């Protein structure tokens, strides 16, 4: 009778992948043996020829050391080679040039921070627009695969605004050969149900992308919360949150989703060119999502970031290569001593050496400047969790921008509508008992909306009339678009205010027959297009309604609009 090579409980190696698993059961079929093997928490069926005994190389070496079986010089050399290959070395980039991207050294800065021995696998990338945060994320992913820290069967989730999902799909596929699944609401719900019921992500959704608009749905908040409460181990290997500033407002669903994802993942990357909107609390709320253990509360965060201003100024000044500014650097070092963390920074041996050098008045050599700049950077409390590269630092061939202001003189009807619109919003807010001192904040969004595009404001008025309420943003936010989740306040319209809204809607029908702002834009386009080599123009606006209006008007006037 044939005997199986492996028995229940044996640790085996999968020949094709070199992964280690444990035999759960042995099934005989016509003299051949099939094995159920648990690998990475999942059960697979393997024929005997696809398995091999697992030999714990480290345990074998340890046993040989205990028995004084040290081997000879060739054995030692073999061990050194094995050690270097087995354990990735800090600073070695194993996926270098492994993508279809133009080499830019600045795009490897986030990677070097992420694989640093002091890193906790959580990084905020705040590079300016155009430096390439998507590419930097792809570089990190490919390096983690090369180092064996992430496999193709480890769940990776990217959260981004709805409009950026297809861009992520194409960039990662074309540049890095990384295939992601783009969720709709049904597939994302199925993925969460599977995690909740089995603890595993379905294979087709292992590497996937979901929009921030979808994920902040109340149902998904509840499902993620239930998963968090029922799981003691992370269910995701890596979460990437693009445009993370949408999660900066504490108490919003987007913010809550950020916290839930942080608890459910082993590693996290957050991306935003504008992490700080108006106050330190915006930045703290995002860093608290990224690493709640390191930044547990606002007081701890402010204490940790107190030395940053002086540290960053020291870094900037040291590149001036001018002995005349050495006194300013010394002053910034003294300023560091005003905080407890700054005092600890100043006790660093490198800072003491720098002070002596600067006081001597001897000009620093290039090698010393590079050495001290790296040393100062490493002393930042955020060094291992935050990185920012400015566009002027990263891009060799800089675009020279020429600003042309186009004056717009509104017609009397347009000017009257703007004034009446603000007056009626103001009346609606004060009528329900709103604070007069808060008007500057409350009217900020209506001012900007009507200044952006009077005809587009008509859609807002129609919604107010139909819903019998006016919606106001009650914080001074500057990114009013479809991806934002603002702290809003809904005010029911009184009979008087509603009639004023109806009258305004009639006014706009008359005033929109002429759009002075659009007319001036069109004149500029007619003048500009023949002068540029590549006749393509991008138009930006804070308001989606303005963009929709311009889209239709430009098409009506014969322009090709994408």
């Amino acid at each position: 009778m044939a005997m199986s090579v492996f028995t229940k409980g044996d640790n085996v190696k999968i020949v094709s992948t070199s992964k280690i698993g444990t035999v759960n059961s042995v099934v005989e079929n016509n003299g051949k043996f099939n094995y159920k093997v648990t690998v990475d928490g999942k059960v697979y069926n393997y024929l005997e020829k696809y398995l091999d005994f697992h030999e714990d190389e480290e345990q074998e070496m340890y046993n040989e050391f205990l028995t004084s079986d040290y081997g000879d010089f060739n054995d030692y050399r073999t061990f050194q080679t094995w050690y270097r290959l087995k354990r990735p070395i800090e600073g070695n980039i194993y996926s270098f040039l492994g993508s279809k991207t133009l080499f830019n050294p600045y795009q490897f800065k986030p990677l070097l921070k992420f694989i640093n021995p002091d890193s906790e696998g959580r990084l905020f990338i705040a590079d300016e627009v155009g430096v390439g945060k998507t590419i930097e994320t792809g570089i990190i992913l490919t390096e983690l695969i090369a180092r064996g820290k992430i496999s193709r069967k480890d769940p990776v989730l990217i959260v981004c605004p709805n409009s950026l999902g297809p861009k992520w799909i194409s960039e990662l596929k074309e540049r890095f050969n990384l295939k992601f699944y783009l969720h709709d609401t049904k597939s994302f719900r199925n993925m969460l149900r599977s995690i909740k019921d089995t603890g595993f992500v379905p294979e087709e959704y292992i590497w996937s992308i979901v929009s921030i608009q979808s994920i902040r749905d109340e149902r998904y908040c509840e499902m993620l919360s239930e998963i968090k409460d029922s799981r003691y181990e992370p269910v995701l290997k890596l979460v990437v949150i693009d445009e993370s500033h949408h999660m900066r407002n504490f108490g919003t669903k987007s913010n809550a989703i950020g916290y839930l994802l942080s608890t459910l993942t082993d590693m996290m990357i957050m991306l935003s060119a504008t992490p700080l909107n108006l106050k330190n609390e915006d930045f703290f709320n995002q860093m608290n999502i990224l690493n709640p253990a390191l930044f547990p509360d606002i007081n701890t965060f402010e204490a940790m970031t107190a030395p940053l201003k002086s540290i960053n100024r020291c870094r900037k000044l040291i590149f001036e290569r001018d002995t005349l500014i050495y006194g300013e650097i010394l002053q910034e070092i003294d300023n560091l001593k005003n905080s407890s963390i700054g005092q600890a920074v100043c006790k660093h041996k490198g800072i003491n050496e720098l002070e002596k050098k600067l006081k001597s008045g001897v000009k620093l050599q290039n090698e010393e400047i590079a050495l001290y700049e790296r040393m100062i950077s490493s002393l930042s409390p955020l060094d291992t969790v935050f990185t920012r590269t400015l566009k002027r630092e990263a891009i060799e061939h800089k675009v020279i921008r020429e600003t042309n202001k186009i004056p717009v003189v509104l017609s009397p009807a347009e000017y009257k509508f703007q004034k009446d619109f603000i007056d009626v919003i103001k009346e609606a807010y004060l009528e329900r008992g709103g604070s007069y001192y808060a008007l500057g904040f409350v009217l900020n969004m209506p001012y900007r909306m009507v200044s952006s595009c009077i005809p587009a404001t008509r859609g807002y008025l129609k919604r107010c009339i139909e819903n019998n309420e006016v919606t106001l943003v009650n914080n001074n936010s500057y990114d009013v678009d479809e991806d934002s989740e603002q702290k809003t306040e809904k005010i029911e319209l009184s009979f008087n205010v509603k009639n004023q809204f109806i009258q305004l809607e009639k006014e706009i029908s008359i005033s929109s027959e002429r759009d002075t702002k659009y007319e001036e834009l069109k004149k500029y386009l007619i003048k500009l297009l023949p002068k540029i080599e590549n006749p393509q123009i991008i138009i930006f606006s804070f308001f989606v309604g303005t963009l929709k209006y311009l889209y239709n008007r430009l098409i009506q006037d014969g322009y090709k609009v994408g």
Side-chain angles (χ1 to χ4, degrees), residues 165-179:
K167 175 179 176 286
W168 274 96
I169 290 284
S170 62
E171 287 274 305
L172 294 174
K173 175 65 173 67
E174 293 171 10
R175 296 182 183 275
F176 301 95
N177 196 30
L178 300 175
K179 297 180 181 178

Side-chain angles (χ1 to χ4, degrees), residues 1-66:
M1 180 179 177
M3 297 288 292
S4 64
V5 174
F6 309 103
T7 59
K8 184 178 179 179
D10 283 347
N11 289 329
V12 293
K13 181 172 72 174
I14 314 304
V15 173
S16 59
T17 64
S18 295
K19 286 198 169 187
I20 308 303
T22 302
V23 176
N24 290 336
S25 61
V26 183
V27 179
E28 182 182 4
N29 185 13
N30 296 326
K32 294 184 178 180
F33 293 94
N34 189 56
Y35 300 86
K36 289 189 175 182
V37 181
T38 300
V39 181
D40 293 337
K42 296 183 180 180
V43 178
Y44 300 92
N45 291 319
Y46 290 100
L47 294 175
E48 198 168 74
K49 64 181 179 179
Y50 297 122
L51 301 176
D52 201 352
F53 279 108
H54 168 55
E55 297 178 358
D56 191 332
E57 296 167 318
E58 294 187 31
Q59 185 61 43
E60 283 188 9
M61 284 187 282
Y62 181 70
N63 292 337
E64 289 172 356
F65 179 81
L66 291 178

Side-chain angles (χ1 to χ4, degrees), residues 6 49 102 120 122 130 138 181 192 195 224 245 254 280 300 333 339 364 382 406 475 493 553-554:
F6 309 103
K49 64 181 179 179
L102 295 175
E120 296 183 27
R122 291 176 177 250
Y181 181 89
L192 292 184
I195 295 174
L224 285 167
H245 52 268
S254 297
N280 283 345
T300 301
I333 293 175
S339 68
L364 297 175
L382 301 184
I406 306 173
N475 69 329
L493 299 180
R553 282 297 303 267
L554 289 167

Side-chain angles (χ1 to χ4, degrees), residues 48 118 121 182 190 242 248 325 469 528:
E48 198 168 74
D118 295 327
L182 185 58
N190 291 340
D242 192 13
R248 69 175 181 269
I325 53 87
E469 64 183 16
L528 178 65

Side-chain angles (χ1 to χ4, degrees), residues 111 113-116 119-124 140-141 143-145 147-151 154-158 207 233-241 258 260-270 289-291:
L111 170 62
K113 284 182 179 284
F114 200 87
I115 63 176
N116 187 291
S119 169
E120 296 183 27
R122 291 176 177 250
L123 182 65
F124 198 114
I140 291 174
L141 269 170
E143 181 65 20
L144 292 177
I145 294 171
R147 288 170 168 256
K149 290 189 175 182
I150 282 184
S151 76
D154 290 323
V156 176
L157 179 67
I158 296 174
W207 286 32
E233 295 290 331
V235 295
L236 301 169
K237 192 68 175 179
L238 172 68
V239 167
V240 179
I241 300 177
L260 289 170
L261 291 175
S262 182
T263 61
L264 292 172
T265 185
D266 186 22
M267 296 179 283
M268 177 175 270
I269 300 171
M270 297 178 75
I289 289 173
L290 180 73
N291 196 330

